[in-house]
Amino acid sequence: MGGVDLSLAGEPPALQFCMSSIAENLDRVRDQIATAAMKSGRSADEIELVAISKTHPVENVREAIEAGQTLFGESRVQEARAKIPELPSNIRWHFVGHLQKNKVRPALPLFEMIHSVDSVALAHDINRIAEEEGLYPRVLLEVNVAGEGSKFGFAPGQLRDQMESLLALPRLSIEGLMCIPPVAEESEDSRKFFVEVRGLRDSLEKEFTLKLPQLSMGMTQDFSIGIEEGATLVRVGTAIFGERKLRKGHL
Ligand SMILES: *Cc1c(COP(=O)(O)O)cnc(C)c1O
């Protein structure tokens, strides 16, 4: 026989190229981060890519690790608890989902940062459990920037009043703000919300004489806009790992 296997000969050639690998996706996202940084006169080093691996199996995370990605984000404690021990221990994990009270204790040792502290009550729980566990968790405050009933987070107009009691929690290292703008057709639609969150951060820094260096702003749809408006952390899932199968309680 000695021939070439022609079993794919009937397939359109594009098929072999349209499913890009996780490594290629990561390259592209990193390029887009660099471009957005340059466009806004920032250094790409100021921006960390959090690869959101929720719903994706550990094999896919491994592929991303092999392509040099070391920081990942998950939005469910249960899922993270199963995945994280399967992966190298030098990989860093951020929590980005709504944290339920009864999941605070298992979450704290798994994640180096919680992006999604969304109420004073949750902040108190984290503070208490962190004290019991001897930890000082790094956290961001989630701002419900468009006042959506379906979303968790502090109302922008109320955060100033709640800041005093948040700052009184000695175990919390509050490093900045996070937001998830409303789902929109155009990525540009997110810009005004990112601008508002940055402005809120600036005024909190002034009023309380503190530093809130981190802004977690931007997902697959709008991370370039987030970077143009000052994001230091972008949370990108789909552009790296592909579409997620819909699952209840997930974005
Ligand atoms: C799922 C999720 C992301 C990633 O969303 P993509 O659109 O897939 O990039 C980012 N942030 C949070 C809070 C999420 O839950």
Side-chain angles (χ1 to χ4, degrees):
M1 303 267 281
V4 182
D5 180 6
L6 294 174
S7 59
L8 279 173
E11 297 290 330
L15 196 69
Q16 295 159 54
F17 301 100
C18 66
M19 302 217 320
S20 47
S21 70
I22 289 171
E24 288 166 329
N25 291 343
L26 269 169
D27 267 353
R28 197 182 50 249
V29 169
R30 289 187 190 123
D31 275 351
Q32 289 166 337
I33 290 173
T35 303
M38 200 150 62
K39 192 172 162 189
S40 45
R42 305 179 62 200
S43 159
D45 302 342
E46 297 169 28
I47 299 127
E48 270 214 283
L49 171 60
V50 189
I52 305 295
S53 51
K54 67 186 186 199
T55 78
H56 298 289
V58 288
E59 301 80 74
N60 296 15
V61 181
R62 262 194 214 105
E63 221 177 304
I65 293 169
E66 274 155 30
Q69 182 65 24
T70 56
L71 174 59
F72 293 87
E74 287 281 332
S75 65
R76 280 184 168 190
V77 175
Q78 220 173 337
E79 181 180 345
R81 260 176 123 173
K83 278 156 96 167
I84 292 175
E86 300 276 310
L87 291 156
S89 57
N90 63 327
I91 296 305
R92 299 145 56 215
W93 295 89
H94 285 190
F95 189 77
V96 301
H98 174 58
L99 185 55
Q100 290 167 301
K101 244 174 126 89
N102 63 343
K103 296 285 165 48
V104 173
R105 198 177 301 275
L108 287 187
L110 294 175
F111 296 99
E112 72 165 25
M113 184 182 276
I114 297 169
H115 288 223
S116 42
V117 172
D118 52 23
S119 70
V120 173
L122 176 61
H124 273 92
D125 286 333
I126 295 173
N127 183 68
R128 176 176 50 79
I129 290 167
E131 178 152 22
E132 290 168 12
E133 304 285 335
L135 298 168
Y136 290 88
R138 300 169 60 196
V139 306
L140 308 179
L141 304 175
E142 179 171 350
V143 181
N144 186 355
V145 73
E148 292 174 281
S150 59
K151 289 216 173 98
F152 295 99
F154 294 93
Q158 288 167 12
L159 190 51
R160 221 167 259 105
D161 294 334
Q162 291 163 317
M163 206 61 196
E164 206 104 37
S165 62
L166 292 169
L167 291 172
L169 301 171
R171 289 278 164 167
L172 291 201
S173 171
I174 301 173
E175 298 193 4
L177 305 180
M178 177 270 222
C179 73
I180 310 172
V183 177
E185 296 274 301
E186 299 286 332
S187 49
E188 271 297 332
D189 295 345
S190 298
R191 189 183 298 275
K192 62 174 182 293
F193 298 110
F194 295 151
V195 168
E196 185 179 342
V197 168
R198 188 189 62 215
L200 180 59
R201 184 274 304 273
D202 292 347
S203 68
L204 291 171
E205 282 190 331
K206 225 183 227 153
E207 188 168 339
F208 295 93
T209 339
L210 47 75
K211 284 277 169 231
L212 297 169
Q214 304 281 5
L215 289 175
S216 171
M217 305 194 303
M219 317 189 347
T220 290
Q221 163 84 358
D222 54 11
F223 70 87
S224 292
I225 309 287
I227 290 166
E228 288 173 31
E229 298 306 338
T232 58
L233 293 156
V234 289
R235 312 176 309 270
V236 180
T238 307
I240 296 169
F241 295 107
E243 294 287 341
R244 288 178 293 276
K245 295 198 181 75
L246 280 182
R247 207 169 73 179
K248 204 166 158 266
H250 266 303
L251 287 172

